Structures are given as structure tokens and as C-alpha cells.
Amino acid sequence: MRAELHVHSSISDGKDSVRKILKSAIEKRIDVISITDHDTVQGSLEALDVVEEEKLPIRVLPGCEITSSSGHILAFGITKDVEPKMSAEETCRTVRELGGVCFLAHPFDFIRGGSMRLKDFRVVDGVETFNAKSYFNFMAKRCAKKFFKPEIAGSDAHSARSVGLAINFLPDNLSLVESIFHARYDGKRVSVRERLAFLLFRLSQRL
């Protein structure tokens, strides 16, 4: 299965609606998507509802990107919000109590809230070692291997256009949550043009 595991909708700081993101994913032949809005699962819940109501040919892995006190953590397999600003240890414990799993998001990318602590690699279940916007993927990959953590990739898409920059290839004989522990991936960096377009969008929101 072709999976996109890191997307933000307009429910948090993304540009496009959940429906537009789903449409783009289907057009790009993506089989599984996780809408990982900041500190809320509402985007994922909406995606689940839309897919069920409209019988769309795509599966949704619910999740979000949680702001812990030491950096961002991607949570998969949860349908309830987790309180932000807790420690990484508390965040992961809460996610697991809700039946989910935790992956460090863009570690070492200090500009965008990535964890800078090696100890956080010990408490998560896996690591996003390719992020289409990060310049620190090589460090993330090195540490994931050091701590024997499964690896995933994320487009970190904030628009429908950027969906699919990073694709995870998942086995189809496991549950969605289990399958991400066996991911292989391929990805490319977001273009300068796309980054500028998003920055202009964010600027227009503040004016």
C-alpha cells in the first residue's frame, strides 16, 4: 500500500480542506492517508467520515502531530486529542493508553519544533527519518539506527499540492498501525516554489 503519513489541513495550519486533500491523494493513487493536524485529531475524524459517507477508495489512519515539551511527535491510531506541552514520556504514555503509537517528527529541525534530545529517541516507537522540508534527515536516520527504531517518511504537506512528496510502502496483510513498523519509503524535497507559496499564504492570513 502507498501511504502518506504526514499532512496538515486547514483545521490546523494547512492551506486546504480535508476534502481537497483526500481528492488529491486519490488522484495520486495513494491508498492510505493520515491527516496529522497540530494537537487535534479533528482532521482525521473528518477524513474518516468523508471516506465512509462517499465510499472513497482510500483508507484513513487517524492521527495528529502533538506538541510535546521537547518537540513534535506524530501519533497514529488515536481518535482522541492528547494534551499538548506534556513531556515526551507523558505524551507517548498517553498515546499508548489510547491505543496509538508515537513517531518523532522531523527530529533536530529546531526551526519547526523537532526534538533536539537523544533521550526522546528512546521513548518513541519510531522516527520520521525523511521529512520533505527538513535539512536534518541524515541526523534523524543516524539516530534511528542507533536506537533501533522503525523509520517512516513524511511529506509534511500543508497543501493538497504537496501531498505525496514522501510515500511509504506498507504491507497489506497487517493492521494499518502495525504496518507502519514495516514501512519502506521514497521521497523528494518540497520545491522552493511551493515553500514560498505557503509562506505567502501564511503571511496573507496574518494581514
Side-chain angles (χ1 to χ4, degrees), residues 77-114:
I78 64 172
T79 54
K80 292 184 179 180
D81 288 344
V82 173
E83 182 181 346
K85 300 297 184 180
M86 294 190 295
S87 69
E89 292 84 354
E90 291 174 306
T91 300
C92 290
R93 182 168 56 250
T94 302
V95 169
R96 291 180 187 123
E97 288 172 353
L98 293 172
V101 295
C102 301
F103 281 65
L104 279 184
H106 45 73
F108 303 112
D109 192 341
F110 60 93
I111 297 174
R112 297 188 301 122

Side-chain angles (χ1 to χ4, degrees), residues 112-128:
R112 297 188 301 122
S115 171
M116 301 292 290
R117 304 192 314 169
L118 285 180
K119 65 185 298 185
D120 287 348
F121 283 82
R122 298 183 185 276
V123 301
V124 295
D125 301 301
V127 181
E128 182 184 60

Side-chain angles (χ1 to χ4, degrees), residues 9-23:
S9 77
S10 55
I11 289 176
S12 63
D13 63 341
K15 180 180 179 182
D16 295 315
S17 68
V18 169
R19 287 179 182 274
K20 188 170 182 178
I21 288 168
L22 290 173
K23 179 181 178 182

Side-chain angles (χ1 to χ4, degrees), residues 61-82:
L61 173 61
C64 63
E65 184 173 0
I66 303 167
T67 307
S68 80
S69 61
S70 59
H72 292 180
I73 295 175
L74 289 165
F76 300 108
I78 64 172
T79 54
K80 292 184 179 180
D81 288 344
V82 173

Side-chain angles (χ1 to χ4, degrees), residues 1-5 29 31 151-153 166-172 179-187:
M1 298 181 291
R2 289 164 46 85
E4 165 64 271
L5 298 177
R29 299 182 296 108
D31 304 301
E151 304 176 30
I152 61 169
I167 293 294
N168 297 269
F169 300 94
L170 310 181
D172 59 6
S179 70
I180 60 178
F181 288 93
H182 303 275
R184 294 179 297 106
Y185 64 74
D186 184 32

